[in-house]
Amino acid sequence: MKQLNPGYKFLTILIATLLLSLTYRTLVNTVVFAVTVSIVLLTPGVNRKRMFFAFLPVLLTAAGLFMSGLLFPAEGAGEITVSVFGQTTLYATSLNSALLLATRVLAFAGIGMMFALTTDAEEFIISLMQQFRLPPKFAYGILAAYHFFPVVISEYEIVRQALLMRGVKAGPFSRKRMFPMLVHALERSESLAMAMESRGFDGNAPRSTAHKIPLRAVDYIFLVVVNGALLLAIFLL
């Protein structure tokens, strides 16, 4: 998965998501979730701990939707003789709806996680610029913002340590911490902008590429096979 072209991988995931949004079948959602999780687990280099913490809020959301759909059915639902907590009657139609809601969340989350955990963000932006003609101004702006987050975190830590050395008490969101951090971050961003202008950056001029993202036959095969398999699952399952 990590060797695929990031731009075409995104195109594949986008089409698959649109196709999945057209169907409302619990079995299809379950199969999609199981396949995507298996792919992520079998991909070398994926951080399993990061994957677990990323899926944790998704699982909680799916569980919440399942219980909501189960315990608060629509009017006119057909009853079945099962009770929860000794007093709440379940409904056959609400059980189907609850499963559909829960598996739908899991399916879409699985598709998104498969892309996020197997794709390098910087290579993805470069691929959009090279294969999909994303304007360099937008591409470099996104890359600058992406690499700017660690700078903000670093500035926050510097301000925190400076306040501790001076014996100043300040909460995590205190103005004594946030204001100096924002000022230093803005100074860094202005320095970056001046550095790009001084080196003659022009978004409209032809540019050479130091890092070429290849586009191979396997990327087209991945696009056709994934969406073809999803279409078959939608019509057959």
PDB file of all heavy atoms in Angstrom, residues 25-48:
ATOM      1  N   ARG A  25     -26.350  -1.557   3.114  1.00  0.00           N
ATOM      2  CA  ARG A  25     -26.363  -2.972   3.475  1.00  0.00           C
ATOM      3  C   ARG A  25     -25.329  -3.233   4.559  1.00  0.00           C
ATOM      4  O   ARG A  25     -24.155  -2.880   4.414  1.00  0.00           O
ATOM      5  CB  ARG A  25     -26.076  -3.842   2.250  1.00  0.00           C
ATOM      6  CG  ARG A  25     -27.122  -3.695   1.152  1.00  0.00           C
ATOM      7  CD  ARG A  25     -26.839  -4.611  -0.012  1.00  0.00           C
ATOM      8  NE  ARG A  25     -27.806  -4.414  -1.076  1.00  0.00           N
ATOM      9  CZ  ARG A  25     -27.797  -5.081  -2.233  1.00  0.00           C
ATOM     10  NH1 ARG A  25     -26.860  -6.005  -2.446  1.00  0.00           N
ATOM     11  NH2 ARG A  25     -28.707  -4.838  -3.147  1.00  0.00           N
ATOM     12  N   THR A  26     -25.790  -3.866   5.616  1.00  0.00           N
ATOM     13  CA  THR A  26     -24.922  -4.134   6.747  1.00  0.00           C
ATOM     14  C   THR A  26     -23.774  -5.067   6.369  1.00  0.00           C
ATOM     15  O   THR A  26     -22.634  -4.862   6.792  1.00  0.00           O
ATOM     16  CB  THR A  26     -25.739  -4.750   7.895  1.00  0.00           C
ATOM     17  OG1 THR A  26     -26.795  -3.861   8.254  1.00  0.00           O
ATOM     18  CG2 THR A  26     -24.856  -5.004   9.116  1.00  0.00           C
ATOM     19  N   LEU A  27     -24.065  -6.074   5.551  1.00  0.00           N
ATOM     20  CA  LEU A  27     -23.033  -7.041   5.177  1.00  0.00           C
ATOM     21  C   LEU A  27     -21.922  -6.381   4.367  1.00  0.00           C
ATOM     22  O   LEU A  27     -20.732  -6.656   4.573  1.00  0.00           O
ATOM     23  CB  LEU A  27     -23.652  -8.198   4.388  1.00  0.00           C
ATOM     24  CG  LEU A  27     -22.704  -9.329   3.978  1.00  0.00           C
ATOM     25  CD1 LEU A  27     -22.016  -9.918   5.196  1.00  0.00           C
ATOM     26  CD2 LEU A  27     -23.455 -10.404   3.201  1.00  0.00           C
ATOM     27  N   VAL A  28     -22.288  -5.498   3.448  1.00  0.00           N
ATOM     28  CA  VAL A  28     -21.283  -4.792   2.640  1.00  0.00           C
ATOM     29  C   VAL A  28     -20.407  -3.928   3.535  1.00  0.00           C
ATOM     30  O   VAL A  28     -19.175  -3.917   3.408  1.00  0.00           O
ATOM     31  CB  VAL A  28     -21.962  -3.937   1.556  1.00  0.00           C
ATOM     32  CG1 VAL A  28     -20.931  -3.087   0.808  1.00  0.00           C
ATOM     33  CG2 VAL A  28     -22.722  -4.816   0.570  1.00  0.00           C
ATOM     34  N   ASN A  29     -21.029  -3.211   4.464  1.00  0.00           N
ATOM     35  CA  ASN A  29     -20.261  -2.369   5.378  1.00  0.00           C
ATOM     36  C   ASN A  29     -19.294  -3.200   6.223  1.00  0.00           C
ATOM     37  O   ASN A  29     -18.144  -2.813   6.443  1.00  0.00           O
ATOM     38  CB  ASN A  29     -21.207  -1.602   6.303  1.00  0.00           C
ATOM     39  CG  ASN A  29     -22.059  -0.585   5.561  1.00  0.00           C
ATOM     40  OD1 ASN A  29     -21.665  -0.096   4.511  1.00  0.00           O
ATOM     41  ND2 ASN A  29     -23.213  -0.285   6.106  1.00  0.00           N
ATOM     42  N   THR A  30     -19.766  -4.350   6.696  1.00  0.00           N
ATOM     43  CA  THR A  30     -18.927  -5.212   7.528  1.00  0.00           C
ATOM     44  C   THR A  30     -17.736  -5.748   6.749  1.00  0.00           C
ATOM     45  O   THR A  30     -16.603  -5.773   7.246  1.00  0.00           O
ATOM     46  CB  THR A  30     -19.755  -6.378   8.087  1.00  0.00           C
ATOM     47  OG1 THR A  30     -20.897  -5.861   8.784  1.00  0.00           O
ATOM     48  CG2 THR A  30     -18.927  -7.222   9.034  1.00  0.00           C
ATOM     49  N   VAL A  31     -17.982  -6.173   5.508  1.00  0.00           N
ATOM     50  CA  VAL A  31     -16.903  -6.699   4.669  1.00  0.00           C
ATOM     51  C   VAL A  31     -15.878  -5.618   4.369  1.00  0.00           C
ATOM     52  O   VAL A  31     -14.659  -5.851   4.442  1.00  0.00           O
ATOM     53  CB  VAL A  31     -17.479  -7.288   3.367  1.00  0.00           C
ATOM     54  CG1 VAL A  31     -16.354  -7.621   2.391  1.00  0.00           C
ATOM     55  CG2 VAL A  31     -18.300  -8.531   3.663  1.00  0.00           C
ATOM     56  N   VAL A  32     -16.342  -4.413   4.051  1.00  0.00           N
ATOM     57  CA  VAL A  32     -15.429  -3.298   3.757  1.00  0.00           C
ATOM     58  C   VAL A  32     -14.564  -2.987   4.979  1.00  0.00           C
ATOM     59  O   VAL A  32     -13.344  -2.795   4.866  1.00  0.00           O
ATOM     60  CB  VAL A  32     -16.223  -2.056   3.308  1.00  0.00           C
ATOM     61  CG1 VAL A  32     -15.315  -0.828   3.269  1.00  0.00           C
ATOM     62  CG2 VAL A  32     -16.857  -2.287   1.945  1.00  0.00           C
ATOM     63  N   PHE A  33     -15.175  -2.941   6.143  1.00  0.00           N
ATOM     64  CA  PHE A  33     -14.416  -2.654   7.362  1.00  0.00           C
ATOM     65  C   PHE A  33     -13.378  -3.734   7.632  1.00  0.00           C
ATOM     66  O   PHE A  33     -12.217  -3.440   7.950  1.00  0.00           O
ATOM     67  CB  PHE A  33     -15.377  -2.530   8.546  1.00  0.00           C
ATOM     68  CG  PHE A  33     -14.685  -2.355   9.867  1.00  0.00           C
ATOM     69  CD1 PHE A  33     -14.012  -1.183  10.170  1.00  0.00           C
ATOM     70  CD2 PHE A  33     -14.704  -3.368  10.815  1.00  0.00           C
ATOM     71  CE1 PHE A  33     -13.361  -1.017  11.385  1.00  0.00           C
ATOM     72  CE2 PHE A  33     -14.076  -3.212  12.032  1.00  0.00           C
ATOM     73  CZ  PHE A  33     -13.400  -2.039  12.319  1.00  0.00           C
ATOM     74  N   ALA A  34     -13.774  -4.996   7.510  1.00  0.00           N
ATOM     75  CA  ALA A  34     -12.850  -6.100   7.774  1.00  0.00           C
ATOM     76  C   ALA A  34     -11.686  -6.103   6.785  1.00  0.00           C
ATOM     77  O   ALA A  34     -10.525  -6.313   7.163  1.00  0.00           O
ATOM     78  CB  ALA A  34     -13.602  -7.432   7.705  1.00  0.00           C
ATOM     79  N   VAL A  35     -11.970  -5.841   5.510  1.00  0.00           N
ATOM     80  CA  VAL A  35     -10.921  -5.845   4.491  1.00  0.00           C
ATOM     81  C   VAL A  35      -9.950  -4.691   4.708  1.00  0.00           C
ATOM     82  O   VAL A  35      -8.725  -4.864   4.638  1.00  0.00           O
ATOM     83  CB  VAL A  35     -11.542  -5.776   3.083  1.00  0.00           C
ATOM     84  CG1 VAL A  35     -10.462  -5.543   2.024  1.00  0.00           C
ATOM     85  CG2 VAL A  35     -12.296  -7.067   2.775  1.00  0.00           C
ATOM     86  N   THR A  36     -10.472  -3.502   4.973  1.00  0.00           N
ATOM     87  CA  THR A  36      -9.591  -2.338   5.154  1.00  0.00           C
ATOM     88  C   THR A  36      -8.702  -2.481   6.383  1.00  0.00           C
ATOM     89  O   THR A  36      -7.512  -2.156   6.341  1.00  0.00           O
ATOM     90  CB  THR A  36     -10.417  -1.045   5.257  1.00  0.00           C
ATOM     91  OG1 THR A  36     -11.431  -1.213   6.268  1.00  0.00           O
ATOM     92  CG2 THR A  36     -11.086  -0.723   3.935  1.00  0.00           C
ATOM     93  N   VAL A  37      -9.257  -2.990   7.479  1.00  0.00           N
ATOM     94  CA  VAL A  37      -8.450  -3.202   8.689  1.00  0.00           C
ATOM     95  C   VAL A  37      -7.379  -4.255   8.440  1.00  0.00           C
ATOM     96  O   VAL A  37      -6.223  -4.113   8.879  1.00  0.00           O
ATOM     97  CB  VAL A  37      -9.352  -3.593   9.870  1.00  0.00           C
ATOM     98  CG1 VAL A  37      -8.513  -4.031  11.070  1.00  0.00           C
ATOM     99  CG2 VAL A  37     -10.242  -2.431  10.274  1.00  0.00           C
ATOM    100  N   SER A  38      -7.734  -5.303   7.709  1.00  0.00           N
ATOM    101  CA  SER A  38      -6.756  -6.352   7.401  1.00  0.00           C
ATOM    102  C   SER A  38      -5.623  -5.805   6.548  1.00  0.00           C
ATOM    103  O   SER A  38      -4.451  -6.135   6.767  1.00  0.00           O
ATOM    104  CB  SER A  38      -7.447  -7.514   6.686  1.00  0.00           C
ATOM    105  OG  SER A  38      -8.463  -8.078   7.487  1.00  0.00           O
ATOM    106  N   ILE A  39      -5.961  -4.960   5.571  1.00  0.00           N
ATOM    107  CA  ILE A  39      -4.940  -4.371   4.709  1.00  0.00           C
ATOM    108  C   ILE A  39      -3.978  -3.517   5.528  1.00  0.00           C
ATOM    109  O   ILE A  39      -2.756  -3.575   5.352  1.00  0.00           O
ATOM    110  CB  ILE A  39      -5.595  -3.541   3.583  1.00  0.00           C
ATOM    111  CG1 ILE A  39      -6.293  -4.468   2.588  1.00  0.00           C
ATOM    112  CG2 ILE A  39      -4.553  -2.686   2.862  1.00  0.00           C
ATOM    113  CD1 ILE A  39      -7.076  -3.727   1.526  1.00  0.00           C
ATOM    114  N   VAL A  40      -4.532  -2.708   6.439  1.00  0.00           N
ATOM    115  CA  VAL A  40      -3.682  -1.853   7.274  1.00  0.00           C
ATOM    116  C   VAL A  40      -2.772  -2.698   8.162  1.00  0.00           C
ATOM    117  O   VAL A  40      -1.573  -2.414   8.313  1.00  0.00           O
ATOM    118  CB  VAL A  40      -4.544  -0.906   8.123  1.00  0.00           C
ATOM    119  CG1 VAL A  40      -3.668  -0.098   9.079  1.00  0.00           C
ATOM    120  CG2 VAL A  40      -5.336   0.040   7.233  1.00  0.00           C
ATOM    121  N   LEU A  41      -3.314  -3.744   8.753  1.00  0.00           N
ATOM    122  CA  LEU A  41      -2.517  -4.600   9.637  1.00  0.00           C
ATOM    123  C   LEU A  41      -1.425  -5.350   8.885  1.00  0.00           C
ATOM    124  O   LEU A  41      -0.351  -5.611   9.435  1.00  0.00           O
ATOM    125  CB  LEU A  41      -3.425  -5.600  10.354  1.00  0.00           C
ATOM    126  CG  LEU A  41      -4.374  -5.018  11.415  1.00  0.00           C
ATOM    127  CD1 LEU A  41      -5.301  -6.100  11.944  1.00  0.00           C
ATOM    128  CD2 LEU A  41      -3.585  -4.376  12.551  1.00  0.00           C
ATOM    129  N   LEU A  42      -1.684  -5.688   7.620  1.00  0.00           N
ATOM    130  CA  LEU A  42      -0.704  -6.430   6.831  1.00  0.00           C
ATOM    131  C   LEU A  42       0.314  -5.528   6.146  1.00  0.00           C
ATOM    132  O   LEU A  42       1.283  -6.024   5.565  1.00  0.00           O
ATOM    133  CB  LEU A  42      -1.417  -7.284   5.775  1.00  0.00           C
ATOM    134  CG  LEU A  42      -2.294  -8.426   6.316  1.00  0.00           C
ATOM    135  CD1 LEU A  42      -3.049  -9.095   5.180  1.00  0.00           C
ATOM    136  CD2 LEU A  42      -1.455  -9.446   7.070  1.00  0.00           C
ATOM    137  N   THR A  43       0.106  -4.217   6.197  1.00  0.00           N
ATOM    138  CA  THR A  43       1.036  -3.285   5.575  1.00  0.00           C
ATOM    139  C   THR A  43       2.250  -3.088   6.476  1.00  0.00           C
ATOM    140  O   THR A  43       2.099  -2.685   7.639  1.00  0.00           O
ATOM    141  CB  THR A  43       0.371  -1.926   5.316  1.00  0.00           C
ATOM    142  OG1 THR A  43      -0.761  -2.113   4.468  1.00  0.00           O
ATOM    143  CG2 THR A  43       1.347  -0.963   4.647  1.00  0.00           C
ATOM    144  N   PRO A  44       3.451  -3.363   6.000  1.00  0.00           N
ATOM    145  CA  PRO A  44       4.645  -3.186   6.842  1.00  0.00           C
ATOM    146  C   PRO A  44       4.861  -1.718   7.218  1.00  0.00           C
ATOM    147  O   PRO A  44       4.606  -0.817   6.419  1.00  0.00           O
ATOM    148  CB  PRO A  44       5.790  -3.695   5.949  1.00  0.00           C
ATOM    149  CG  PRO A  44       5.134  -4.530   4.904  1.00  0.00           C
ATOM    150  CD  PRO A  44       3.783  -3.920   4.672  1.00  0.00           C
ATOM    151  N   GLY A  45       5.327  -1.506   8.436  1.00  0.00           N
ATOM    152  CA  GLY A  45       5.666  -0.159   8.876  1.00  0.00           C
ATOM    153  C   GLY A  45       4.535   0.628   9.490  1.00  0.00           C
ATOM    154  O   GLY A  45       4.745   1.783   9.898  1.00  0.00           O
ATOM    155  N   VAL A  46       3.327   0.070   9.558  1.00  0.00           N
ATOM    156  CA  VAL A  46       2.204   0.783  10.151  1.00  0.00           C
ATOM    157  C   VAL A  46       2.318   0.725  11.673  1.00  0.00           C
ATOM    158  O   VAL A  46       2.539  -0.341  12.249  1.00  0.00           O
ATOM    159  CB  VAL A  46       0.859   0.182   9.692  1.00  0.00           C
ATOM    160  CG1 VAL A  46      -0.301   0.825  10.441  1.00  0.00           C
ATOM    161  CG2 VAL A  46       0.686   0.367   8.200  1.00  0.00           C
ATOM    162  N   ASN A  47       2.151   1.861  12.302  1.00  0.00           N
ATOM    163  CA  ASN A  47       2.215   1.951  13.758  1.00  0.00           C
ATOM    164  C   ASN A  47       0.921   1.386  14.351  1.00  0.00           C
ATOM    165  O   ASN A  47      -0.139   1.992  14.255  1.00  0.00           O
ATOM    166  CB  ASN A  47       2.405   3.405  14.185  1.00  0.00           C
ATOM    167  CG  ASN A  47       2.740   3.537  15.658  1.00  0.00           C
ATOM    168  OD1 ASN A  47       2.284   2.768  16.491  1.00  0.00           O
ATOM    169  ND2 ASN A  47       3.558   4.527  15.981  1.00  0.00           N
ATOM    170  N   ARG A  48       1.002   0.192  14.959  1.00  0.00           N
ATOM    171  CA  ARG A  48      -0.192  -0.455  15.503  1.00  0.00           C
ATOM    172  C   ARG A  48      -0.793   0.339  16.665  1.00  0.00           C
ATOM    173  O   ARG A  48      -2.011   0.408  16.824  1.00  0.00           O
ATOM    174  CB  ARG A  48       0.149  -1.873  15.979  1.00  0.00           C
ATOM    175  CG  ARG A  48       0.775  -2.779  14.928  1.00  0.00           C
ATOM    176  CD  ARG A  48      -0.200  -3.104  13.806  1.00  0.00           C
ATOM    177  NE  ARG A  48       0.285  -4.144  12.943  1.00  0.00           N
ATOM    178  CZ  ARG A  48       1.077  -3.976  11.902  1.00  0.00           C
ATOM    179  NH1 ARG A  48       1.510  -2.761  11.617  1.00  0.00           N
ATOM    180  NH2 ARG A  48       1.446  -4.982  11.134  1.00  0.00           N
TER     181      ARG A  48
END
